[in-house]
Amino acid sequence: MRGGELVVNEALKTRALPEGSYDKLLEFLRLYRDAVQIIVDRIWGIDEKLSKKKLHRLFYSDLMRLGFRAHHAKEIYINAKSLMDSARGNSGRKPVLRKLSARIDKYDYKLDLDSMTLTLKLHNDYEAKLKLVSPRERVEKFRSWSNYELVVKYEDGEFWVSIYFKRIVKLLKPRTVMAIDLNFDNVTLTVFTLDDKLIRLKRFKTPLRKILTHKIWIERIQKRYPKSWRFIKGVRKAIERHGKRIKNISWDYAHKTGNTIAKLAFKHNSVIILEDLEKLKENNKKEDKEFNKKLGLWFYRRIQFCIEYEAMERNLQVAKIDPRGTSSKCPRCGGKLVEDGYRILRCRKCGFIGDRDVTATINIYKKYKYISKHSRCGVPGVAPNAPKPDENPSGMQGNKNEAMTTES
Ligand SMILES: [Zn+2]
């Protein structure tokens, strides 16, 4: 097992107050929007593939004539192109831009985190200075990151900016393996040394029963007012209240657990092994259609999200394995396990007896070890937050483009 590198992206979204008049900034945003629209209109009918080079040739000089800077121009035609691509993929209708929002390259702004100011370079050499309205603590962590792009928006009389940061994470070389099993009642973790010694066992009770109670309440209310619950204010409010509780309980739990687990993993210098929930879904599809609803796949996802996030903050590796068989196979001989009392499993073939959750983590650990031994690249799975090839904001392809909302 070895370390490695990983690029992590994160956006800081904050309100921004213009210093002085913001007429020019608004003018810029309008001009930008209209320029994107003009290009969308012009390339809409074109069927051939438009490369960046071609877009540049077609539109660069026109955009310069409008007073844009070189990198504005690039952002504008790339934006138009990606809007067109996603519109074709979705509705098939030509996008019509209404919102005021612009994506700006790092060459066209200056960010000063000390004074919390942002200077934007606009058209015709105008500049706009904005004060970022964000708590210090939120900004602090980005000091050691680099930023490469931002989106500025005007919405309901307020300016907002999303600044895209990235950092290279040098992953630690793990000395132990932490296996994590998620099930309805418990989150169970075990830590193994690389020579199979179990050195730590910890269990967290999940709040899923509590969550289920709120769910049942919601269903009960909806059943009592099957058609009208949406329209009666008191009823709708009651449902919202239960929904809110579910949300709070689950996020709260996910944050706390993710944090505790990552701290422990850091202490033991572990690679964290999670179950691949997508595979879990596939495996269970046939057996239980209600699986998703009953066992709260969404809840597991939330916990994993927090574990992965906190692990990343500590430069820890995370890997995922296919959970198939991890709760039904004997970790000693591979035989089938049967229930033998409350949460106890027994192997008919070799006599192995073990706690259900712990047994699952042993199997997860063994699966990871097997895969990492037999895969050429050493570490199975992909580091969680690794940006997909098309995730770079400038290269948005078909994904939701938060800079521009289109209506058709
Ligand atoms: Zn056995």
Side-chain angles (χ1 to χ4, degrees), residues 330 332-333 335 347 349-350 352:
C330 171
R332 199 190 286 156
C333 76
C347 175
K349 235 162 136 191
C350 75
F352 169 90

Side-chain angles (χ1 to χ4, degrees), residues 5 32 42 61 101 105 110 154 163 169 175 198 246 257 260 293 322 329 336 347 362 380 399 408:
E5 272 189 3
Y32 188 105
R42 274 173 54 186
S61 49
S101 152
D105 192 279
K110 229 182 258 147
Y154 184 68
I163 306 161
V169 176
R175 293 225 171 74
L198 199 162
I246 291 175
T257 312
T260 313
K293 237 160 74 189
D322 182 349
K329 271 190 195 155
K336 196 168 164 43
C347 175
I362 297 172
N399 57 341
S408 44

